[in-house]
Amino acid sequence: MTDSTFTEDDTRWMRQALELARHSVSLNEVPVGAVIVRDQQLLGQGWNAPISACDATHHAEIAAIRAAGESAQNYRLPGSTLYVTLEPCTMCFGAMIHARIGRVVYGTREPRAGVLVSQLKLPDATFYNHQITVEGGLLADQSAQLLTHFFQARRSTNPAGSA
């Protein structure tokens, strides 16, 4: 499910995720930010930092899930919503399933590796023991623009493409 009608609270939380994505840029990381909210309370937040953290799993969603689990003192986060600026990958979707995230709201699609709607459409799979509600397109233009500017700047400083 995509292109839903979003609430003011949804927009507020996605704006916070966008601020975290901008923080990723300051680390020279791909700009993706995520926040996890339950009952209008921030449980956790994160930004992409696999390069600076020397950790391939340090995606924004994973960092937010880890922080939320610590905050909630539980690895399961039922009833929570994860707001993320970019459609999640396979790894992040798996973590959301295990954390029992109730809803994910993403900004822009990731046509190559996004698994919610762009590629594998994993939320539609019937073999999972947990289902996640998916809504997309919230502040999509801002999320996409941040990514576009990041990669344009990267190409202009590294024209050979060896990032």
Side-chain angles (χ1 to χ4, degrees), residues 11-22:
T11 301
R12 176 171 58 99
W13 293 115
M14 185 61 81
R15 286 190 196 290
Q16 186 164 341
L18 279 164
E19 284 304 313
L20 296 166
R22 288 181 187 98

Side-chain angles (χ1 to χ4, degrees), residues 1-2 14 30-34 48 59-61 82-93 96 104-124 134-140 143-144 147:
M1 179 183 305
T2 60
M14 185 61 81
V30 174
V32 180
N48 262 16
H59 288 193
E61 302 94 322
L82 186 147
Y83 296 89
V84 62
T85 58
L86 181 65
E87 180 184 0
C89 71
T90 309
M91 174 185 69
C92 293
F93 182 77
M96 287 185 264
V104 61
V105 177
Y106 67 89
T108 193
R109 291 184 180 200
E110 210 302 38
R112 291 178 50 207
V115 299
L116 302 182
V117 296
S118 294
Q119 290 299 328
L120 299 175
K121 297 174 180 48
L122 290 179
D124 297 338
V134 173
E135 298 176 68
L138 179 57
L139 301 180
S143 296
L147 288 157

Side-chain angles (χ1 to χ4, degrees), residues 1 3 8-9 23 26-27 39 46 55 60-61 72 83 89 100 103-104 113 126 131-132 135 142 150 154 157 162:
M1 179 183 305
D3 302 322
E8 287 181 27
D9 286 329
H23 177 68
S26 73
L27 302 172
D39 300 324
D55 178 357
E61 302 94 322
Y83 296 89
C89 71
R100 304 298 193 267
R103 175 179 174 235
V104 61
T126 58
Q131 295 299 304
I132 298 174
E135 298 176 68
Q142 292 91 324
F150 174 80
R154 184 181 246 180
T157 60
S162 58

Side-chain angles (χ1 to χ4, degrees), residues 36-47:
I36 298 178
V37 176
R38 183 168 55 197
D39 300 324
Q40 291 308 312
Q41 298 294 313
L42 177 66
L43 291 180
Q45 61 185 16
W47 53 86

